[in-house]
């Protein structure tokens, strides 16, 4: 897994769990650099993406968004699927 320096990383593709497709999706919703992720709500990012694309996107994208926001806010790099249970719990609680 990529382990970039969050203070100096300048490209979305350099973040853990991000490749070209998800980086492109983030740019579509106005996230052009990793620092733009700080303070963002991954669920809001997901909703914006669904609106921009005009259709629902796989819920696993939320897990990826959770992982990169967490990383940029100081968390250790983790595989995106470690956030799946947290996402499911959040949906269950209706947040």
């Amino acid at each position: 897994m990529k382990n970039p320096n969050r203070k100096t990383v300048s490209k979305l593709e350099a973040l853990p769990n991000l490749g070209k497709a998800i980086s492109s999706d983030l740019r579509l919703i106005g996230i052009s650099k990793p620092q733009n992720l700080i303070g963002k709500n991954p669920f809001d990012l997901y909703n914006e993406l669904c609106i921009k694309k005009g259709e629902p996107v796989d819920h696993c994208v939320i897990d990826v968004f959770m992982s990169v926001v967490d990383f940029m806010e100081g968390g250790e790099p983790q595989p995106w699927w470690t956030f799946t249970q947290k996402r499911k719990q959040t949906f269950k609680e209706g947040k």
Side-chain angles (χ1 to χ4, degrees):
M1 173 175 300
K2 296 179 273 188
N3 190 6
N5 181 331
R6 72 180 53 79
K7 294 179 182 178
T8 60
V9 66
S10 61
K11 293 184 178 183
L12 293 171
E13 292 84 359
L15 292 173
N17 302 308
L18 288 191
K20 291 179 183 180
I22 299 293
S23 294
S24 178
D25 287 344
L26 284 169
R27 287 186 189 92
L28 182 65
I29 58 173
I31 304 295
S32 60
K33 58 185 180 179
Q35 291 73 19
N36 295 146
L37 291 162
I38 298 170
K40 296 293 186 187
N41 180 312
F43 292 90
D44 292 343
L45 295 173
Y46 172 81
N47 288 331
E48 288 179 50
L49 182 60
C50 291
I51 290 167
K52 284 281 188 180
K53 288 197 165 204
E55 63 186 10
V57 178
D58 190 307
H59 286 136
C60 292
V61 171
I62 300 170
D63 305 347
V64 176
F65 289 171
M66 291 172 80
S67 75
V68 293
V69 169
D70 180 72
F71 175 76
M72 286 306 299
E73 292 181 346
E76 291 299 316
Q78 298 180 59
W80 63 266
W81 57 86
T82 62
F83 292 86
T84 302
Q85 191 57 42
K86 183 176 180 181
R87 170 188 38 96
K88 289 179 178 181
Q89 186 63 37
T90 301
F91 273 139
K92 183 178 176 183
E93 293 173 0
K95 293 183 182 176

